[in-house]
Amino acid sequence: MPFVAPEGPKCGKCGKSVYTAEERVAGGAKWHKFCFKCDLCNKMLDSVNVAEHDGHLYCKVCYGRKHGPKGYGFGMGAGTLSMDMGAQFGNNSTAMRYGSLLCLV
């Protein structure tokens, strides 16, 4: 009977086997050290600045840009609101997410 090696965990990005010495864990999946980087800016990540969404890894800044509240700028008033839908970050939804903003008419 020939020897069959046990099937190891697969990397969440490249799909190849991940060995214990090189693994990084985030979002319930294991990743290679060099695959463990932001999907938008390609910044190398660590356990402090990683954020996972639908199997994709992001740094905290890019995660906030892509999946954070929209229409809320750096200021705190109505003068800072914009209609930017985040198309440059791959957001294709037409519905605006207001988060915790309350619109009074």
Side-chain angles (χ1 to χ4, degrees):
M1 187 185 296
F3 173 75
V4 178
E7 188 71 26
K10 301 293 183 186
C11 176
K13 183 166 271 192
C14 69
K16 296 180 181 177
S17 294
V18 179
Y19 300 104
T20 306
E22 62 182 0
E23 76 180 14
R24 303 277 195 253
V25 179
K30 295 187 179 189
W31 311 79
H32 291 113
K33 179 180 178 181
F34 295 109
C35 293
F36 199 69
K37 57 186 175 181
C38 178
D39 278 359
L40 292 178
C41 68
N42 289 325
K43 177 181 176 182
M44 295 301 287
L45 302 173
D46 57 20
S47 62
V48 176
N49 66 353
V50 67
E52 185 268 339
H53 187 82
D54 291 337
H56 297 280
L57 296 178
Y58 301 101
C59 63
K60 295 282 186 180
V61 174
C62 290
Y63 180 83
R65 287 179 182 163
K66 185 170 174 83
H67 301 290
K70 305 294 183 275
Y72 198 75
F74 292 103
M76 294 296 216
T80 60
L81 296 177
S82 71
M83 295 305 293
D84 181 22
M85 298 298 290
Q88 68 271 27
F89 300 116
N91 290 343
N92 297 325
S93 65
T94 57
M96 182 82 149
R97 286 186 237 139
Y98 289 103
S100 62
L101 294 177
L102 177 62
C103 299
L104 299 175
V105 179

